[in-house]
Amino acid sequence: MSPISSGATFVLGGARSGKSRFAEQLVVSTGLERHYVATGRAWDDEMRVRIDKHKADRGHLWHTQEEPLDLVGCLRAIDGEGRAILVDCLTLWVTNLMMEQRDIGAEFASLAAYVPTARARLVIVSNEVGLGIVPENRMAREFRDHAGRLHQMIAAEAADVYFIAAGLPLKMKG
């Protein structure tokens, strides 16, 4: 595994592609203090179990922050030299923003503006949702469109971009 550069690294992939595992390995390879920002919410028992499993799998060497909405505020609060921050994942954040009827354009712009200014090494994970069929309902189409726009914004600001499929990384930028 190649070490991550001093800029942000963006990791995209489909469900169960291995993107989170790859991103965690990137952070571990830095040797820096590890921070994990989880954007998911435990809406049901299945999600609670998944969150608990992820925490247990990462172990005690990670500092975990759960932030479903104020992602940039959370990042600013923990940013600093000597740290690596993993954000997992942007698509859950988009869902939360939509459910809370937040100003999505402003939230996206704030994150995109923050990414190149971070002092910590950022690794940002998201689900690529634009490779399938057109969703049949309006909300799903809006979600796909929001996610696609956000991915373009973050990829433009990131130093490195990876696409993960079947556990294999394809370096797209950097």
Side-chain angles (χ1 to χ4, degrees):
M1 168 136 339
S2 61
I4 61 176
S5 68
S6 59
T9 299
F10 189 33
V11 180
L12 287 165
R16 304 293 159 264
S17 63
K19 65 190 172 299
S20 293
R21 182 180 55 243
F22 177 78
E24 288 174 10
Q25 291 170 347
L26 284 176
V27 168
V28 169
S29 75
T30 68
L32 301 172
E33 182 180 287
R34 304 173 200 168
H35 290 262
Y36 188 98
V37 177
T39 61
R41 287 178 163 169
W43 294 105
D44 57 25
D45 290 339
E46 178 188 354
M47 190 62 167
R48 278 189 230 8
V49 168
R50 290 175 73 133
I51 288 170
D52 289 344
K53 181 181 181 333
H54 279 286
K55 286 180 185 175
D57 288 349
R58 282 192 306 275
H60 68 281
L61 295 177
W62 289 81
H63 304 277
T64 300
Q65 289 79 31
E66 295 179 4
E67 182 48 61
L69 294 169
D70 187 14
L71 181 55
V72 174
C74 179
L75 291 171
R76 282 191 178 118
I78 61 174
D79 193 7
E81 295 292 328
R83 294 181 172 177
I85 303 171
L86 172 56
V87 176
D88 198 355
C89 80
L90 291 186
T91 45
L92 289 173
W93 182 58
V94 171
T95 299
N96 296 333
L97 295 174
M98 289 178 71
M99 297 301 286
E100 297 291 330
Q101 299 181 343
R102 299 286 282 260
D103 183 341
I104 290 176
E107 296 282 354
F108 288 6
S110 180
L111 179 61
Y114 170 76
V115 166
T117 69
R119 292 170 298 162
R121 302 253 183 106
L122 290 180
V123 178
I124 303 169
V125 175
S126 199
N127 290 292
E128 177 52 63
V129 296
L131 297 175
I133 60 172
V134 175
E136 68 178 30
N137 68 73
R138 181 179 177 177
M139 184 175 191
R141 287 189 300 274
E142 287 175 359
F143 169 80
R144 180 212 47 204
D145 293 349
H146 288 316
R149 282 190 289 276
L150 177 60
H151 292 166
Q152 291 179 55
M153 294 169 77
I154 301 305
E157 298 300 336
D160 299 304
V161 178
Y162 289 92
F163 184 79
I164 312 300
L168 300 173
L170 170 64
K171 193 164 191 180
M172 300 173 68
K173 178 182 177 183

